[in-house]
Amino acid sequence: MKLFSSYNRILLVISFAGLFIIGVLFYKTLAYYLDRQIDDGLVEELMEVQDFTHEKNILPAPSYYKDLVVEYKNIIKVLNKSSFADTVYYNPKKKQLEPARYLKTDISLNDKAYQVLIMYSKAHRNEEIRSICLVIIIPFLFLLLVLFWVNKVLIHKLWAPFRQLLVNIKVFNLNHDQSFEPVSTQIQEFKELSNAIEDLSFKVRSDYKEIKLFTENASHEMLTPLAVINSKLDTMLQSARLGPEESETLSDLYKATSRLTKLNQSLLLLVKIDNNLMMDTEEVAVMDMIKEKQAFFQELIHKRNLRIELHLDPVYLIVSRQLFDILINNLFSNAIRHNYEGGLINIKLTETSLSFSNTGKSGLLKEEMIFERFFKDPASDGTGLGLAILKQICSRQQYQLSYHYENQLHIFKVKFNKN
């Protein structure tokens, strides 16, 4: 949920809760004071009855006016007790049930006890209460809506620099020469935030350039001595003056330096992928690229007597040709290297996915670890970076890379994201 939506929701809940509580209290208070006025009227009516009784020595006739009812009832004795309460009665004048307020008391006349009941209709007073509440609540609700709209406009305007900062942060890219663009604002907090992000972007860009330069220089400088070592070792291995023990030692050194060269190249490739240095895109005919790679690996496939099954649909993707070439190369290399003599490689290409299935020397691999860097089978002589490179390429291209083991086949599947 967005900050503005959350704030407005809390504001609305508090406002309506406050309005409800204040409305109830106002209604109760107003009803209380109106009841007191009615009670005063009932007392005055009772006093008129008592005055009439003292003067005439008889009870006045029962009254049934539009909103007033006066009734008498014989009782055993006078209790000298008066009570006020609410009730509902049938108004014979209006021919309907109405709420009323009544006063019930006892009087004595000619040694006889009578109960006097005086009722006054509250229908008119209830209408007054509703009218007063509407007169107050409707303008208040209108004012609340106006304040809510003004608050929304002000918040939208006040937070505009913050939203612009978010946009500038999202478009900021370390690989581009354009620096972070600060936001001009009069709000002190956003100005400090913009300045802090600008300073941080300069520091990050500077550190990134230094690390990138160091990585590229280190990798480049390592390639030259490694090439020299490989060349010298190759020359020495061809010498006829070496004994069996020396030849074996030099062969081990040659393998180690070759592995170190591959490791250096793989790490440099990962750095380039991580830093989006290979993101030039074009339309690639995937089926043709797979067939080209098959021809490239044909000698290894024939040497190990591997059987290739192809199920290829003509698929075209907008993708980095260089990255996709590395992806297919690593899938082929992985399927050949970890296969056994006379094994099977099944390649399936559809509009939505590319899968490489191959037999292997080992069973199910650890799905949660096979794409981690430097994870490899103990029997493998690889660098442990091939599948990590696959994962990184798929991540940059927003593809889904998965592995599962089925029918004694290791299946690596790349699901395309054509959007």
Side-chain angles (χ1 to χ4, degrees):
M1 182 184 296
K2 291 186 177 181
L3 175 63
F4 302 148
S5 301
S6 178
Y7 172 77
N8 289 332
R9 179 174 294 181
I10 294 172
L11 182 63
L12 282 175
V13 170
I14 294 175
S15 299
F16 282 108
L19 177 62
F20 176 77
I21 294 172
I22 293 173
V24 171
L25 292 176
F26 176 77
Y27 179 83
K28 293 292 185 182
T29 304
L30 184 60
Y32 173 79
Y33 281 108
L34 291 176
D35 283 346
R36 297 292 75 77
Q37 289 182 1
I38 295 175
D39 291 347
D40 292 341
L42 293 174
V43 171
E44 291 179 1
E45 190 66 30
L46 176 62
M47 290 175 63
E48 291 180 4
V49 172
Q50 291 173 340
D51 290 342
F52 183 88
T53 303
H54 291 156
E55 290 178 4
K56 306 293 184 179
N57 201 27
I58 60 172
L59 290 172
S63 303
Y64 298 97
Y65 297 104
K66 182 178 179 181
D67 294 322
L68 181 66
V69 175
V70 181
E71 295 178 346
Y72 308 101
K73 181 181 178 183
N74 291 325
I75 57 176
I76 299 175
K77 63 177 181 178
V78 176
L79 299 177
N80 293 323
K81 183 179 179 182
S82 300
S83 61
F84 295 91
D86 291 327
T87 185
V88 177
Y89 82 107
Y90 180 77
N91 191 325
K93 299 291 184 180
K94 297 181 181 179
K95 297 182 180 181
Q96 63 181 18
L97 290 173
E98 290 185 353
R101 184 82 173 167
Y102 72 81
L103 167 60
K104 188 183 293 184
T105 187
D106 302 336
I107 61 174
S108 177
L109 178 64
N110 299 326
D111 296 329
K112 291 183 179 180
Y114 296 93
Q115 184 184 74
V116 181
L117 176 65
I118 306 173
M119 287 190 298
Y120 186 83
S121 174
K122 293 176 62 176
H124 181 65
R125 296 297 174 93
N126 287 345
E127 288 293 332
E128 290 181 351
I129 292 176
R130 280 193 288 269
S131 299
I132 293 172
C133 290
L134 288 175
V135 167
I136 294 175
I137 290 175
I138 290 177
F140 183 81
L141 285 173
F142 178 74
L143 177 62
L144 187 64
L145 291 174
V146 171
L147 290 176
F148 176 76
W149 179 79
V150 171
N151 179 69
K152 183 178 179 180
V153 172
L154 286 177
I155 287 179
H156 188 273
K157 185 176 181 181
L158 289 174
W159 283 82
F162 178 77
R163 289 194 297 273
Q164 187 59 46
L165 273 174
L166 289 179
V167 172
N168 293 351
I169 291 173
K170 290 177 181 179
V171 300
F172 176 69
N173 194 324
L174 288 173
N175 296 312
H176 297 166
D177 294 331
Q178 186 177 1
S179 59
F180 176 80
E181 186 176 348
V183 173
S184 177
T185 176
Q186 299 299 321
I187 302 175
Q188 184 63 29
E189 289 79 4
F190 291 151
K191 186 182 294 185
E192 292 178 3
L193 178 62
S194 178
N195 293 336
I197 295 176
E198 185 179 11
D199 294 340
L200 180 63
S201 68
F202 281 130
K203 187 177 185 305
V204 170
R205 181 182 289 278
S206 176
D207 293 344
Y208 169 74
K209 286 183 178 179
E210 291 181 6
I211 294 174
K212 179 181 174 184
L213 185 61
F214 170 79
T215 304
E216 291 176 349
N217 290 342
S219 299
H220 183 269
E221 293 299 324
M222 287 176 63
L223 288 175
T224 302
L226 285 173
V228 173
I229 292 172
N230 280 332
S231 176
K232 296 293 184 182
L233 288 174
D234 187 55
T235 302
M236 294 177 67
L237 282 172
Q238 295 178 15
S239 174
R241 292 177 295 178
L242 294 175
E245 186 175 348
E246 289 83 358
S247 297
E248 184 178 353
T249 301
L250 287 176
S251 178
D252 291 340
L253 288 173
Y254 185 80
K255 291 178 181 178
T257 53
S258 297
R259 184 172 180 276
L260 185 60
T261 301
K262 292 180 181 178
L263 180 62
N264 179 64
Q265 292 172 343
S266 298
L267 287 173
L268 182 59
L269 178 59
L270 276 172
V271 170
K272 289 182 177 180
I273 297 173
D274 288 339
N275 293 296
N276 295 327
L277 300 179
M278 305 169 68
M279 294 301 291
D280 52 313
T281 58
E282 60 180 286
E283 187 177 63
V284 173
V286 181
M287 182 176 68
D288 295 341
M289 186 175 287
I290 292 174
K291 290 182 178 180
E292 290 174 4
K293 283 297 175 183
Q294 180 189 4
F296 178 80
F297 285 102
Q298 188 59 43
E299 185 177 347
L300 282 175
I301 294 171
H302 181 73
K303 182 179 180 180
R304 304 196 63 183
N305 196 26
L306 299 175
R307 182 163 52 94
I308 300 288
E309 293 183 359
L310 299 178
H311 307 277
L312 307 178
D313 293 338
V315 177
Y316 296 88
L317 296 176
I318 303 298
V319 70
S320 169
R321 177 178 289 275
Q322 191 175 4
L323 281 181
F324 208 81
D325 182 81
I326 296 170
L327 183 144
I328 296 178
N329 186 85
N330 282 18
L331 286 171
F332 257 112
S333 177
N334 183 73
I336 294 172
R337 182 185 297 114
H338 299 288
N339 219 321
Y340 52 72
E341 295 288 334
L344 169 68
I345 298 177
N346 187 307
I347 304 173
K348 184 177 180 180
L349 173 65
T350 66
E351 283 288 334
T352 58
S353 65
L354 169 65
S355 64
F356 273 67
S357 308
N358 63 274
T359 51
K361 302 174 184 177
S362 58
L364 176 65
L365 302 175
K366 296 179 180 179
E367 298 181 38
E368 68 279 4
M369 296 183 64
I370 57 173
F371 297 115
E372 298 296 326
R373 296 183 182 184
F374 301 108
F375 174 81
K376 62 176 183 175
D377 190 284
S380 173
D381 59 349
T383 62
L385 292 174
L387 293 179
I389 292 174
L390 276 181
K391 178 184 177 181
Q392 200 67 9
I393 291 174
C394 290
S395 175
R396 292 300 174 187
Q397 298 293 154
Q398 297 183 0
Y399 295 162
Q400 293 181 12
L401 175 63
S402 61
Y403 162 80
H404 64 279
Y405 186 73
E406 184 179 348
N407 298 327
Q408 297 183 342
L409 291 174
H410 299 275
I411 304 173
F412 291 88
K413 186 174 183 179
V414 178
K415 189 175 180 181
F416 305 135
N417 176 17
K418 289 201 170 186
N419 294 326

